[in-house]
Amino acid sequence: MQRRGFPLTRDDLRRIAYEYAAQIGIKHRFNNETKKAGYDWLNAFLRRNPDISVRKSEGVSIARSQAMNRQEVEAYFELLRTTLEEHNLFDKPGHIYNMDESGLQLNSRPGHVLAAKGSKAVSTVTSTERGETITVIGCCNAEGTVLPPACIMKGKNKKPEFTDNMAPGSILYMSQKSAYINSTIFLEWLRDHFLPRKPAGKVLLILDGHGSHSTSIEMLNFCDSNDIILLCLPSHTTHYLQPLDRAVFKSLKGNFYNACRLWLKNHPGRRITRQQFGQLLQESWGKSASNENAVSGFRACGIFPFNPQAIPDFAFAIADNGELPVPVDDAVPEKTKQPNSKNLRDPLPDKPERTELREEKDEPQPSTSKEIRHVPEESPMTKLLHGISPVPVLVQSAKKRAKQVASLLTSPENRKECLQKSLKKKPTKEKMMVKTPKSQKRKTMRDSSSSDEAEVVFAESSDSAGEEFNENECVGCGNMFET
């Protein structure tokens, strides 16, 4: 169940133990009302099985669990190897960069605290119910050099106090629509923040498949003309393949929310606003965006030194166990499929047909499809447990969408494809004669004091209006990007 991505909870185990004992006819003192085994049995089970422990699991989306497979990762590392060889970057860690965004909320997050035993409620004062989200753009290279952070706030007017006490070299962008990054801001970041710090020669910039990174033909042409190679990671694999996600951003969020907690403690009764963001970010950024963390992030992702084996096997656990093998044995009688207590405890008798096969193994046997499909037979106990707690199998969604694979965004083929897509999305306005309503016509005539001349309105054809492209939507699963 753990390998499938559905680990059991303590209550699940207690329920399975009760149903298992009831079906095989074992006398027990379990609770018949809750239909669960007791906590004493659970503790004794854990003592008898020291290789099983209680852990806090981390949520992973269905898209991530299916996308993190060996085929996609091997194709990505092959593309990475080819790119590094073609541009002679294997021994140039200062020319290999990673860029990503993360969202920080202007609020503290309560954690584990010390409290009196028996307390009914343990509360921690926070700034607001849900603080404002500010996007932080981070970038570092395999040599350990970390660029100053760039931040995005929602709004139109940029006030000088918003950048107070920020780290030296930091920059702030204002976005009227949202605090998410878009193609315009990304191009400005490349031109004003990344390019002045870029070393001479070609550099490789590894990033995810967000729409702002991959759809603007102007941005792709800018990178190609300034020797910036953009390599896009496969969708939903950044939690293992992106250095900033592996070594910097988790630490950054923990240090930032801890700084928010200390600020609220030292300033009781006040809220955290944009004016305090620069100071809080500087305190947490200096601790998290260190040279050691940047270097370890590239090493853990197998980018530098180049090592595809750096990705651990447990990263592919759910994808490797995606298909549940179904045992095929037509000779099993119907009674065996619903075992009773007697045939569970007694050993299974040897089947005569299997004995005959062992005696005649010198004679050639014709191959049949039944022998090819044969899977080792499950024991009656295992079958019973599968009936009590079926093992889920992840299935592909019926809604098929485009799949984001690892690719070179600045390649001529990709830039040509993006140009063709951008030309198709531009709506061609058609002039249509539309008669205005009589009430609007009378109002226009009174205001302008003109003659009884019909008014002409130009409208956009419904057929030509294309769907608006959302940069924050994943092209692979359709869900919104999370920062």
Side-chain angles (χ1 to χ4, degrees):
M1 294 291 285
Q2 177 188 349
R3 290 194 299 267
R4 303 280 176 176
F6 297 91
L8 298 176
T9 63
R10 283 172 282 197
D11 283 348
D12 292 337
L13 181 59
R14 292 167 57 203
R15 177 185 57 81
I16 293 173
Y18 176 89
E19 295 185 9
Y20 184 78
Q23 291 196 28
I24 66 177
I26 292 181
K27 292 183 179 181
H28 59 81
R29 293 182 294 176
F30 299 154
N31 193 328
N32 292 323
E33 294 182 0
T34 60
K35 295 185 177 181
K36 295 179 181 178
Y39 285 102
D40 293 339
W41 177 89
L42 175 63
N43 294 331
F45 174 84
L46 293 176
R47 287 194 299 268
R48 293 192 303 269
N49 299 272
D51 54 334
I52 300 176
S53 62
V54 179
R55 299 281 300 274
K56 183 179 180 181
S57 62
E58 296 183 1
V60 57
S61 65
I62 296 177
R64 283 187 181 272
S65 60
Q66 294 178 342
M68 192 65 194
N69 57 75
R70 298 184 185 275
Q71 293 78 15
E72 295 290 340
V73 174
E74 289 175 1
Y76 155 71
F77 275 108
E78 180 62 25
L79 178 62
L80 177 62
R81 182 189 62 80
T82 304
T83 305
L84 294 176
E85 287 180 350
E86 181 180 354
H87 301 284
N88 194 21
L89 298 177
F90 263 111
D91 57 344
K92 297 179 180 178
H95 291 243
I96 305 174
Y97 285 82
N98 174 228
M99 173 265 182
D100 193 22
E101 311 90 19
S102 183
L104 299 176
Q105 291 186 348
L106 297 180
N107 203 356
S108 60
R109 292 186 177 179
H112 294 87
V113 297
L114 301 177
K117 287 186 177 181
S119 301
K120 297 297 182 181
V122 181
S123 303
T124 301
V125 176
T126 59
S127 179
T128 57
E129 293 293 334
R130 184 177 179 181
E132 175 189 359
T133 300
I134 298 176
T135 298
V136 177
I137 305 175
C139 184
C140 62
N141 62 16
E143 204 172 46
T145 303
V146 182
L147 272 64
C151 306
I152 306 174
M153 293 184 181
K154 181 181 179 181
K156 186 177 181 180
N157 299 322
K158 180 180 177 180
K159 297 182 179 180
E161 53 266 26
F162 292 166
T163 58
D164 288 347
N165 299 319
M166 274 193 177
S170 302
I171 190 171
L172 176 65
Y173 299 101
M174 303 300 296
S175 177
Q176 191 171 0
K177 186 177 180 180
S178 68
Y180 283 98
I181 191 171
N182 53 46
S183 300
T184 304
I185 294 179
F186 182 57
L187 179 58
E188 292 181 7
W189 178 85
L190 285 171
R191 183 179 60 243
D192 304 331
H193 200 68
F194 181 78
L195 188 61
R197 297 172 173 85
K198 168 186 168 296
K202 289 187 177 293
V203 297
L204 176 64
L205 181 59
I206 302 173
L207 33 73
D208 57 35
H210 192 271
S212 61
H213 306 159
S214 56
T215 57
S216 173
I217 187 63
E218 181 183 1
M219 178 271 300
L220 296 178
N221 290 334
F222 173 82
C223 293
D224 182 67
S225 59
N226 288 277
D227 293 334
I228 302 175
I229 306 167
L230 298 183
L231 194 152
C232 176
L233 294 167
S235 58
H236 305 293
T237 59
T238 56
H239 54 302
Y240 279 108
L241 301 183
Q242 185 150 245
L244 286 171
D245 281 345
R246 293 290 301 270
V248 176
F249 280 157
K250 185 176 182 179
S251 172
L252 173 64
K253 289 187 176 183
N255 290 325
F256 179 81
Y257 294 128
N258 185 54
C260 291
R261 181 186 62 83
L262 294 177
W263 190 92
L264 288 173
K265 183 179 179 181
N266 296 327
H267 302 83
R270 293 180 58 184
R271 293 192 309 111
I272 301 177
T273 62
R274 295 181 175 185
Q275 283 76 10
Q276 289 82 39
F277 175 74
Q279 174 187 351
L280 298 173
L281 179 63
Q282 183 183 16
E283 295 176 6
S284 54
W285 185 262
K287 298 177 182 178
S288 304
S290 62
N291 179 280
E292 293 80 5
N293 286 350
V295 172
S296 64
F298 280 88
R299 185 188 305 112
C301 294
I303 299 176
F304 188 89
F306 182 78
N307 181 22
Q309 305 302 323
I311 308 301
D313 289 336
F314 60 79
F316 311 101
I318 299 179
D320 289 345
N321 294 275
E323 297 182 359
L324 180 64
V326 180
V328 179
D329 194 351
D330 300 334
V332 178
E334 191 68 19
K335 294 181 180 180
T336 313
K337 296 182 180 179
Q338 296 179 352
N340 52 26
S341 59
K342 183 176 181 180
N343 60 21
L344 274 175
R345 296 175 181 174
D346 298 336
L348 293 174
D350 292 333
K351 296 183 180 181
E353 61 269 16
R354 292 175 183 258
T355 307
E356 293 176 2
L357 287 175
R358 284 196 296 267
E359 294 175 354
E360 300 176 359
K361 57 184 179 179
D362 294 334
E363 298 181 6
Q365 299 293 334
S367 61
T368 61
S369 59
K370 185 175 180 179
E371 293 176 351
I372 296 174
R373 295 173 57 244
H374 178 73
V375 180
E377 179 189 357
E378 291 181 342
S379 67
M381 291 184 180
T382 305
K383 291 182 179 181
L384 181 58
L385 288 176
H386 278 300
I388 296 174
S389 179
V391 180
V393 180
L394 294 177
V395 296
Q396 295 289 341
S397 174
K399 185 177 180 181
K400 295 183 178 180
R401 302 181 62 93
K403 194 174 184 179
Q404 182 75 41
V405 297
S407 59
L408 283 178
L409 300 179
T410 50
S411 63
E413 296 81 8
N414 185 75
R415 285 187 287 125
K416 183 179 179 180
E417 183 179 354
C418 289
L419 178 60
Q420 293 175 353
K421 289 182 179 180
S422 62
L423 294 177
K424 289 181 180 179
K425 289 178 182 178
K426 288 184 178 180
T428 57
K429 293 187 176 181
E430 298 178 358
K431 297 181 179 180
M432 300 176 60
M433 302 294 295
V434 180
K435 293 184 178 180
T436 58
K438 292 183 179 180
S439 58
Q440 185 177 352
K441 186 189 295 185
R442 293 194 190 99
K443 184 178 179 180
T444 305
M445 291 171 62
R446 287 195 301 267
D447 295 341
S448 59
S449 300
S450 60
S451 59
D452 300 334
E453 187 174 327
E455 186 176 348
V456 177
V457 180
F458 296 95
E460 186 177 322
S461 171
S462 59
D463 298 335
S464 61
E467 296 182 358
E468 184 180 358
F469 175 73
N470 191 349
E471 293 178 334
N472 298 321
E473 181 179 343
C474 175
V475 299
C477 66
N479 296 326
M480 302 300 291
F481 276 90
E482 296 181 0
T483 58

